[in-house]
Amino acid sequence: MSDFFADPKHVLVFDFDGVILDSASLKRQAFAALYDGEPETGRQAVRAYLNRRGGQPREVKFRHIESHILGREASEARIRELCQRFKADVEARILAAPAIPGALEFLERRRGQLPIYLLSATPEHELREIVARRGLARYFDEVIGAPPDKATALRNLLVRHGHTARHTVMVGDSYNDFRAASSNGTRFIGITADPTASPF
């Protein structure tokens, strides 16, 4: 692995929740809490979906839950309302979330040695604010949020900076991260809190 960091062509791209901060479960809890008033079967279906679908923009998740799981109209007004409620609930949780063990030490040790990017499905303006308030901006050459989707954002990143896919490693904790890496031909390192339930 030391050869990897010695080569200036190599690039690292990190997801945020569950990779840098231990916040993926906090977001799932905040999502699920918005549906506490639903019948138990609906709540169970929502929780099962959220456990499977990490790394997607919240609007995509809310539209799927509303229309496909709960069978009701996913109007733009309803999606906006859910997003606003989710943002208010989750913001304080994320600002207080601990870092994934070893993540900040790794970033501190490797910053300046090679390009390091942050790529998340969190709306970009929120992501940049959280990164700034947590004092993490110094670790990343660029902080990239949604939109677009991760696969497109990773492709745009490679083109924008002239990086090659074979020299790029995406580090993520969801199948969506793996799919973004696979669709762009980059390498991938999967992080999982529970190896027995790995999405990879």
Side-chain angles (χ1 to χ4, degrees):
M1 196 63 170
S2 59
D3 291 344
F4 179 90
F5 296 106
D7 190 334
K9 295 192 294 295
H10 284 141
V11 178
L12 290 172
V13 182
F14 287 91
D15 178 41
F16 191 52
D17 297 303
V19 174
I20 304 299
L21 292 188
D22 193 3
S23 49
S25 62
L26 298 180
K27 285 194 168 182
R28 285 194 298 271
Q29 291 163 13
F31 263 107
L34 292 172
Y35 293 97
D36 279 348
E38 297 295 326
E40 178 59 23
T41 54
R43 294 201 304 273
Q44 287 179 355
V46 167
R47 286 193 295 268
Y49 168 73
L50 293 172
N51 286 334
R52 294 193 308 270
R53 304 304 292 178
Q56 288 184 314
R58 64 192 62 161
E59 294 88 347
V60 172
K61 292 179 181 177
F62 282 132
R63 284 194 186 94
H64 182 88
I65 291 169
E66 290 291 306
S67 61
H68 297 288
I69 295 177
L70 301 177
R72 55 196 182 208
E73 183 187 358
S75 69
E76 288 305 312
R78 173 67 174 160
I79 300 304
R80 252 192 328 271
E81 177 204 351
L82 288 167
C83 286
Q84 288 166 355
R85 288 169 58 194
F86 175 81
K87 179 180 183 294
D89 185 29
V90 83
E91 190 172 73
R93 300 187 194 210
I94 292 179
L95 289 173
I100 293 291
L104 300 188
E105 293 82 357
F106 177 88
L107 291 172
E108 185 65 47
R109 193 164 65 249
R110 297 303 179 184
R111 69 177 177 144
Q113 292 184 353
L114 74 172
I116 300 177
Y117 302 98
L118 188 66
L119 176 61
S120 173
T122 300
E124 189 163 298
H125 63 284
E126 290 180 32
L127 180 65
R128 289 176 180 271
E129 182 180 347
I130 292 165
V131 167
R133 291 178 69 179
R134 291 293 301 253
L136 303 175
R138 68 185 184 275
Y139 295 126
F140 303 107
D141 292 84
E142 189 175 351
V143 173
I144 305 157
D149 62 89
K150 278 191 176 174
T152 303
L154 181 56
R155 186 178 313 118
N156 292 346
L157 168 66
L158 297 176
V159 170
R160 187 162 61 248
H161 294 284
H163 299 311
T164 60
R166 68 191 180 94
H167 289 114
T168 301
V169 178
M170 172 82 188
V171 184
D173 71 327
S174 72
Y175 181 75
N176 203 42
D177 297 327
F178 172 73
R179 187 172 58 184
S182 297
S183 69
N184 284 286
T186 73
R187 301 188 216 176
F188 180 77
I189 295 174
I191 305 292
T192 179
D194 181 4
T196 65
S198 171
F200 315 115

